[in-house]
Amino acid sequence: MSFGPLEIILIIAVIALIFGAKKLPELGKGLGQGIKEFKRETHHKDDVTDVPSRPLDPVTATPVTPVSDPVSERR
């Protein structure tokens, strides 16, 4: 699906009618900043480390600490 020049002009005209001429520069600036931020974050490579998973309590959704076996007394 591609847009021709007539469709693009129609979309721009509808946006101008909805938001008004005063808000269009602000919308364009915000859209440009959003695209720039998105590109920067997608190209930024973080070192991802594997973190071992821990079981969660099904009721409270808090991590469950493993219960160790009690040490038996030696006589």
Side-chain angles (χ1 to χ4, degrees), residues 19-35:
F19 293 108
K22 293 181 181 179
K23 292 285 183 181
L24 286 180
E26 294 174 21
L27 290 172
K29 182 179 178 183
L31 182 64
Q33 287 176 346
I35 291 172

Side-chain angles (χ1 to χ4, degrees), residues 14-65:
V14 169
I15 291 172
L17 287 173
I18 292 174
F19 293 108
K22 293 181 181 179
K23 292 285 183 181
L24 286 180
E26 294 174 21
L27 290 172
K29 182 179 178 183
L31 182 64
Q33 287 176 346
I35 291 172
K36 186 164 74 171
E37 179 74 19
F38 178 76
K39 284 182 180 180
R40 188 175 76 225
E41 290 297 323
T42 55
H43 291 350
H44 184 69
K45 299 195 181 204
D46 288 333
D47 293 332
V48 178
T49 58
D50 290 334
V51 178
S53 63
R54 296 184 291 175
L56 297 178
D57 182 17
V59 176
T60 61
T62 58
V64 177
T65 55

